[in-house]
Amino acid sequence: MSEQLTLYLHKASPYSEKIELALAEANAPHKACQIDLLNKPEWFADKVNSVGKVPVVTYGGPNVDPDDPSPLSVKIAGIEYSGLLPKDPVLRAKVRFFVNAVTKHIEEPCTAFVQGREPYDNALKGIEFIQRLLEEGRDFAVGDHYTIADACISPLLARLKIVTETDLGRASVRSFSR
């Protein structure tokens, strides 16, 4: 059985971008298959992800076209490549804490802001919380090397920058006072 990887993604999804960054950093050869979220192929739910969400990575099985996935491939939510999760257990725990903190303190408030459900201030508070986790003088979120923590936060910050500079979404930054 080959060890082929296929990433099913939507290019505008920050979740897909996180996986793309991780695969690129790990130098993991893979195929990519774009999924139109508004017009998903019929085979996607049956053969790839019964929930119909992206991103999804399939591993193994014969080397086939992404739009005809093998039932022998294994669907996985995450891949632990050397370097993306540190071997040191303390650093590994810090990376996992950081990823969870980004989800809770940045991803959730930013999504709620863009959807017009929460003020921008909540996103700012989340960013301030995450900044306190960062060590002074470090180039990376955790430790001395690029990890999944960096891949987790960078798509969110890039999208937040775009949203705040262009007033995309249902809420305007200008409508909230700081």
Side-chain angles (χ1 to χ4, degrees), residues 70-155:
S70 168
L72 300 176
S73 64
V74 179
K75 283 63 171 179
I76 52 180
I79 302 170
E80 295 186 9
Y81 281 107
S82 175
L84 292 176
L85 280 175
K87 294 184 187 329
D88 177 85
V90 173
L91 283 178
R92 193 179 196 99
K94 285 182 178 182
V95 164
R96 291 194 175 167
F97 179 82
F98 188 87
V99 169
N100 289 336
V102 165
T103 301
K104 179 179 180 184
H105 295 286
I106 294 183
E107 188 174 310
E108 292 171 5
C110 287
T111 299
F113 163 69
V114 170
Q115 294 172 346
R117 296 183 288 116
E118 286 188 15
Y120 186 63
D121 288 347
N122 291 344
L124 290 177
K125 289 175 189 171
I127 291 169
E128 290 168 354
F129 179 86
I130 295 300
Q131 283 179 319
R132 288 191 298 272
L133 298 178
L134 301 173
E135 294 182 33
E136 188 74 33
R138 297 278 186 176
D139 292 332
F140 302 100
V142 177
D144 296 324
H145 303 286
Y146 186 90
T147 66
I148 199 71
D150 301 290
C152 173
I153 194 168
S154 52

Side-chain angles (χ1 to χ4, degrees), residues 10 12 16 22-23 25 52 74 90-91 94 119 130 152 160 162 169 176:
H10 186 269
S16 293
L23 291 170
E25 185 65 25
V74 179
V90 173
L91 283 178
K94 285 182 178 182
I130 295 300
C152 173
L160 183 59
I162 291 168
F176 299 108

Side-chain angles (χ1 to χ4, degrees), residues 5-33 53-59 75-81 84 99 107 146-156 159:
L5 292 173
T6 303
L7 170 61
Y8 296 88
L9 72 150
H10 186 269
K11 200 64 173 167
S13 163
Y15 308 106
S16 293
E17 189 174 355
K18 291 176 191 180
I19 302 299
E20 281 187 296
L21 288 169
L23 291 170
E25 185 65 25
N27 291 318
H30 65 281
K31 295 178 184 180
C33 182
K53 293 186 176 187
V54 296
V56 176
V57 176
T58 62
Y59 172 79
K75 283 63 171 179
I76 52 180
I79 302 170
E80 295 186 9
Y81 281 107
L84 292 176
V99 169
E107 188 174 310
Y146 186 90
T147 66
I148 199 71
D150 301 290
C152 173
I153 194 168
S154 52
L156 297 172
R159 281 164 178 76

